[in-house]
Amino acid sequence: MAEPILRLENVSKAFGGLKAVNQVSFDVSEGEIVGLIGPNGAGKTTVFNLISGYDPPTEGSISFNGCEISGRKPYELAAVGIGRTFQIVKPFAGLSVLDNVTVASYLRYPAQRDARRKAREVLEFIGMGDRADMPAAGLTLAGRKRLEIGKALALEPKLILLDEVVAGLNPTEADQTVQLILSIRKSGVTTLIVEHIMRVIMGISHRVVVLNYGSLIAQGAPEEVARNPQVIEAYLGESK
Amino acid sequence: MPDTVWKKCVVVAGLAVFLLSFPLLVRDAFLLRLFTEALMWIGLAITWDLIAGYIGYLNFGHGVFFGFGAYTTTILFTKANLPFALSLAIGGGVAALAALIIGWPVLRLRGAYFAIATWAFGRAIMQLALVLDVTGGPDGMRLPPFLNPHFFAYVMLALVGATYIVLWVLLERAPFGLKLKAIREDESGSLAIGLNPAKLKLQALVLSAAPAGLIGGVYAYWITFIDPSSVFGDLVTDQAVVMAVFGGLGTLIGPAIGAVFFLTFKTYFWAYLSDFQVLYLIILGVAIAACVVFLPDGIWGAVTRRQEGRRALRKGLSLNQRAAAPPAHPSAAGTSVRPSVRPRDGEEE
């Protein structure tokens, strides 16, 4: 296995007295798709916020490509190569689809013309080339989630964090998004994905990391994790 | 569509010819004064709109920059005997510096908090001008009269024209404008795509303050008398606000149209109904409220069906409650205590 691109070591995050994330350690290797799962309130989105710089960890260390990144700002991390989407999508609703992606493209392509070209490329890649001039507010939920992925891809990230990009989509849309995630991985971007839909996460992840009440309870290949009694207990309750 | 490009070129060229030849053709001092004042208000309205319409921050202390420019220019020109051009340039610089100093703390606030803080800053600085010796206190300051209305018409035209062109290039052509709009649309989301909102907002505020300061300096020399209420008073900001909101936020042409419309209205109102000047202030207040309620996109927004005006107002008045609902992160354990997305320089409300 390659050198880990992302490494979390004993990372904790406390909100007041509540430990949302507790002593979590895991690695993500280059080129992998790693699924981050857990019941509601397990701390998955908090882990994303820690990795992407939206929240500084209370303790522990997060390193990306061997460099310590905990406590750095989201825009610095975007420049380093971490792209993310939001569970609650954050499109720039008043701007067109093309402008949404263009403004993200400025990070790598500061000139207007280059940024536009990059944005059109990304829109073609995510299959939204025909909706470039639509206002983002007019998109369906599936469209908005896809646009989120497009904005993150325009940053040309080495690692992309996808927060529930499939949840809430109908089966056809979900399949399209799964195909998109697979093609992102094929283009060499490492992916860390939070998802509730087990069919999706078990189908595409190389490895799965399971959180429960902020603690890591299991990690490994999807089929191993699915048989892990602790994981079953976390999802279904104790068996008598 | 080369046809529309061609049309635009004709319109722009026609406008330029009109603006350049107007002061030469007009002999009437009243009309020339109206022309110069219209340009001045266009400048103030578009620089206010840079912060309000493009980023969604309602700056109720914009007049501070105008006043800083006016007072700095006057003090250097009359007391230090510097040449006018140099005094003016320093005046613009002082306004920019003031934006840097005021903006650093105040731009961390959002919505109505930002509006209140900037308004309070404006008030504080007006009081300062009232008590200091160097500003002449409530008596104000006089400048040596330079009675050449054509000179001032062209200086104002050059200044406001240059401001308009620079802002147009930066906001409508260069990446800067789109970055600011991204902040307006979703400030916390803009962090994730590599934007540093704190820095961009400060740059925009400085960019908005410097021309306002220069306009203040030219105004002082043109009118030959300034006092705290005429250059630091609420009316400077409030009129720019009405003009920009009425014309259409988030565009440059909208506030310019609003400025011409309102100034014409004000001038004729004062000329023919001078006994009812108080009524003007009431009309101004009602106009702001009516625009916000009935014409949130302004006339330009209504004509072009651009909805940037209402988006700017919604953010500026903290009406965008989407991100305010805290327990919206079902998978983040911390949400019942605090929202889990909390960037350092503030969340979307």
Side-chain angles (χ1 to χ4, degrees):
Chain A
M1 268 260 157
E3 185 71 1
I5 188 167
L6 178 76
R7 164 166 278 174
L8 277 76
E9 280 172 295
N10 304 319
V11 172
S12 298
K13 176 70 190 177
F15 293 106
L18 185 95
K19 278 216 162 175
V21 174
N22 193 5
Q23 298 287 321
V24 167
S25 306
F26 66 88
D27 286 353
V28 177
S29 301
E30 194 154 3
E32 265 189 317
I33 297 181
V34 174
L36 185 59
I37 63 169
N40 283 340
K44 303 183 294 291
T45 295
T46 306
V47 168
F48 266 29
N49 286 341
L50 296 177
I51 298 170
S52 61
Y54 270 80
D55 274 322
T58 320
E59 50 183 306
S61 113
I62 304 172
S63 53
F64 179 72
N65 267 338
C67 302
E68 179 65 32
I69 56 162
S70 54
R72 293 179 68 181
K73 305 271 190 206
Y75 49 84
E76 293 171 335
L77 298 178
V80 175
I82 300 180
R84 75 165 291 179
T85 69
F86 292 89
Q87 183 189 357
I88 300 165
V89 287
K90 290 175 176 290
F92 304 123
L95 306 183
S96 72
V97 169
L98 180 65
D99 281 350
N100 264 272
V101 182
T102 304
V103 74
S105 306
Y106 292 143
L107 181 68
R108 305 286 176 218
Y109 302 90
Q112 181 78 326
R113 189 184 297 259
D114 303 339
R116 285 268 183 239
R117 190 184 313 124
K118 172 69 187 175
R120 290 213 181 267
E121 268 172 40
V122 170
L123 286 181
E124 287 306 325
F125 182 76
I126 63 172
M128 290 184 76
D130 52 334
R131 280 172 278 180
D133 297 319
M134 250 179 93
L139 294 172
T140 59
L141 178 68
R144 274 178 283 160
K145 291 206 167 191
R146 199 160 263 252
L147 178 59
E148 280 291 287
I149 299 175
K151 277 158 67 185
L153 286 177
L155 305 170
E156 300 193 341
K158 297 190 190 81
L159 169 70
I160 191 167
L161 311 175
L162 302 176
D163 199 349
E164 303 209 3
V165 288
V166 184
L169 306 190
N170 71 34
T172 323
E173 294 164 343
D175 282 343
Q176 287 168 345
T177 299
V178 166
Q179 288 311 312
L180 178 61
I181 296 169
L182 292 174
S183 56
I184 290 170
R185 189 246 160 179
K186 212 174 282 169
S187 72
V189 182
T190 310
T191 308
L192 182 59
I193 177 167
V194 162
E195 194 51 73
H196 269 303
I197 302 175
M198 286 302 143
R199 183 174 63 85
V200 170
I201 206 120
M202 293 300 180
I204 62 174
S205 304
H206 299 104
R207 280 191 314 120
V208 175
V209 173
V210 191
L211 294 179
N212 192 25
Y213 293 115
S215 301
L216 191 146
I217 56 169
Q219 61 173 318
E223 51 279 9
E224 271 170 46
V225 165
R227 285 197 301 268
N228 184 315
Q230 259 187 300
V231 175
I232 295 168
E233 192 185 311
Y235 272 92
L236 301 175
E238 217 171 320
S239 56
K240 291 277 154 64
Chain B
M1 281 161 270
D3 211 37
T4 55
V5 173
W6 200 76
K7 263 186 212 159
K8 272 185 190 165
C9 285
V10 170
V11 170
V12 170
L15 199 64
V17 169
F18 167 76
L19 289 171
L20 285 168
S21 59
F22 187 87
L24 286 179
L25 300 173
V26 166
R27 291 273 150 254
D28 183 27
F30 175 73
L31 271 181
L32 200 57
R33 190 197 148 99
L34 190 62
F35 176 80
T36 311
E37 206 180 342
L39 287 169
M40 178 182 113
W41 284 111
I42 290 172
L44 289 175
I46 59 173
T47 49
W48 186 78
D49 184 48
L50 163 58
I51 302 299
Y54 285 85
I55 329 184
Y57 278 69
L58 304 180
N59 174 7
F60 279 92
H62 193 54
V64 166
F65 307 133
F66 178 79
F68 264 115
Y71 267 105
T72 308
T73 306
T74 307
I75 290 166
L76 293 175
F77 185 50
T78 60
K79 301 205 166 170
N81 290 317
L82 290 182
F84 176 72
L86 182 60
S87 310
L88 181 67
I90 297 174
V94 168
L97 191 67
L100 213 56
I101 294 166
I102 296 173
W104 189 69
V106 166
L107 281 170
R108 287 154 194 263
L109 303 170
R110 296 282 178 93
Y113 299 100
F114 175 81
I116 293 167
T118 49
W119 177 80
F121 250 111
R123 274 294 153 131
I125 285 162
M126 178 174 154
Q127 293 302 322
L128 205 61
L130 277 169
V131 296
L132 287 179
D133 279 339
V134 70
T135 57
D139 297 334
M141 300 184 81
R142 287 190 182 284
L143 291 94
F146 181 63
L147 301 174
N148 185 343
H150 286 88
F151 170 79
F152 288 108
Y154 277 113
V155 168
M156 203 63 98
L157 179 61
L159 183 56
V160 173
T163 303
Y164 195 100
I165 291 166
V166 167
L167 291 189
W168 184 79
V169 170
L170 280 177
L171 297 175
E172 299 293 336
R173 284 291 169 270
F176 189 61
L178 204 51
K179 288 180 185 176
L180 296 186
K181 286 181 181 177
I183 296 174
R184 177 189 75 203
E185 295 296 323
D186 194 322
E187 193 153 342
S188 112
S190 74
L191 288 162
I193 55 159
L195 301 184
N196 178 350
K199 188 172 138 198
L200 287 162
K201 287 186 290 186
L202 204 55
Q203 286 173 343
L205 193 67
V206 170
L207 193 66
S208 140
L214 292 172
I215 292 169
V218 174
Y219 169 84
Y221 197 22
W222 175 43
I223 299 296
T224 73
F225 172 74
I226 56 170
D227 69 357
S229 69
S230 73
V231 296
F232 278 127
D234 289 335
L235 209 52
V236 178
T237 305
D238 293 350
Q239 291 189 106
V241 172
V242 183
M243 289 162 177
V245 174
F246 177 77
L249 293 177
T251 64
L252 287 174
I253 189 79
I257 293 170
V260 172
F261 178 89
F262 251 87
L263 182 74
T264 311
F265 167 70
K266 174 194 165 184
T267 307
Y268 283 93
F269 190 90
W270 281 22
Y272 293 107
L273 293 166
S274 52
D275 295 343
F276 303 101
Q277 284 194 9
V278 173
L279 205 58
Y280 172 71
L281 296 178
I282 295 171
I283 291 174
L284 203 65
V286 171
I288 297 191
C291 283
V292 170
V293 176
F294 299 111
L295 204 64
D297 301 318
I299 31 180
W300 187 253
V303 169
T304 58
R305 299 184 173 277
R306 283 170 70 155
Q307 299 204 334
E308 310 214 37
R310 74 181 62 189
R311 304 198 63 82
L313 285 173
R314 216 174 273 167
K315 168 147 192 192
L317 298 168
S318 345
L319 295 176
N320 195 348
Q321 295 297 326
R322 186 171 58 84
H329 293 245
S331 64
T335 43
S336 57
V337 185
R338 280 186 210 168
S340 61
V341 180
R342 278 179 306 117
R344 287 286 73 77
D345 55 344
E347 235 293 62
E348 174 110 354
E349 288 91 45

